[in-house]
Amino acid sequence: MNLLIDIGNSNLRWTCHGQDCAWDMAVVRHSGGVPLDLLAQWEQLEPPERLVVSNVGGQEVADALERVTRALWRRAPEYLRTEAVFGGVRIAYEEPLRLGVDRWLALIAAHELCQQACLIVDAGTAATFDLLLADGRHLGGLILPGVEMMRKSLLMGTRIPRIEADPAGEPWATDTAPAVAAGSLQGLASLATRLFDRLAAEAGQSPRLILTGGDAERIQPALDRPAQLVQDLVLRGMRCVVDAGA
């Protein structure tokens, strides 16, 4: 059994992978460490053969993870690194390591999943958009603040009242705080539409839109293009890498 661990800016996702293992993703907020409830779950596991990790959450959580895994299983985590070419995917960045490993793994998973042009939207603390052609060629991408970061940055510089909830129904609002809430969702959704249409023109066919990340379900209702929600996309990419013997 292998333990696959995806550490994002805010959340940690994990699952067991191997023969007779159920593919069952779990999600926790990590806050720069390993939460006690996660530690309690891991204490119930059989010692994994490998601990394979994607980490964009920083060194603090990486250090905490290593302390825990060495204490529990006397195993050190193995951190994946972005490669220029893998599994038919060729990334656009001239310096591969400047592309976040989570985005790289999402590209690998998306290519395996759909075998056609696709737009990958990862709506997390940051919102990333990556464009992939059917032949595995990565065209590049864009990064914006995520929903909460976008809202907080605006509230910090204005006297707009605190936002209590996401808007429902119409894509616009009739009060100031709801207008900020709607704007954060509609802005990301509108960019997804623009990139989807540009990718369709580039590929010569309608692409797939794959949506993942902690705020994916909040953004999905605002989209006006069909989207497939795949919350374990990065973990699927990790599975591809492990199964390939890396």
Side-chain angles (χ1 to χ4, degrees), residues 85-90 108 111-112 115 136:
V85 180
F86 188 95
V89 172
R90 301 179 302 283
I108 292 169
H111 187 56
E112 182 196 50
Q115 295 290 312

Side-chain angles (χ1 to χ4, degrees), residues 6 26 47 66 81 86 97-98 100 135 151 162 181 183 222:
D6 166 26
E66 181 155 359
R81 292 161 62 90
F86 188 95
L97 294 181
R98 294 181 68 85
D135 63 3
R151 293 176 181 180
R162 183 172 178 270

Side-chain angles (χ1 to χ4, degrees), residues 13-149:
R13 294 174 172 80
W14 66 278
T15 190
C16 297
H17 167 54
Q19 189 173 5
D20 301 325
C21 288
W23 184 263
D24 187 15
M25 182 185 75
V27 185
V28 296
R29 299 282 287 189
H30 61 68
S31 301
V34 178
L36 290 177
D37 56 344
L38 176 57
L39 182 59
Q41 293 179 64
W42 283 358
E43 286 175 338
Q44 307 303 313
L45 298 178
E46 294 294 325
E49 295 179 21
R50 298 177 65 188
L51 301 158
V52 184
V53 184
S54 162
N55 180 27
V56 297
Q59 191 59 45
E60 183 181 7
V61 67
D63 292 342
L65 177 65
E66 181 155 359
R67 288 193 297 269
V68 166
T69 61
R70 286 190 180 278
L72 286 176
W73 305 302
R74 298 182 181 179
R75 298 266 197 288
E78 303 173 33
Y79 291 93
L80 298 178
R81 292 161 62 90
T82 304
E83 299 178 16
V85 180
F86 188 95
V89 172
R90 301 179 302 283
I91 66 171
Y93 280 34
E94 293 184 5
E95 299 180 43
L97 294 181
R98 294 181 68 85
L99 178 72
V101 67
D102 56 339
R103 293 172 63 194
W104 175 64
L105 291 165
L107 288 166
I108 292 169
H111 187 56
E112 182 196 50
L113 181 65
C114 62
Q115 295 290 312
Q116 69 182 83
C118 60
L119 170 64
I120 304 159
V121 179
D122 188 339
T125 304
T128 63
F129 302 76
D130 281 287
L131 297 86
L132 184 69
L133 294 178
D135 63 3
R137 182 160 53 96
H138 176 222
L139 297 179
L142 296 173
I143 304 175
L144 284 179
V147 173
E148 292 303 323
M149 188 177 292

Side-chain angles (χ1 to χ4, degrees), residues 145-161:
V147 173
E148 292 303 323
M149 188 177 292
M150 198 180 299
R151 293 176 181 180
K152 288 177 182 176
S153 66
L154 183 57
L155 296 181
M156 286 175 61
T158 66
R159 295 182 181 274
I160 293 173

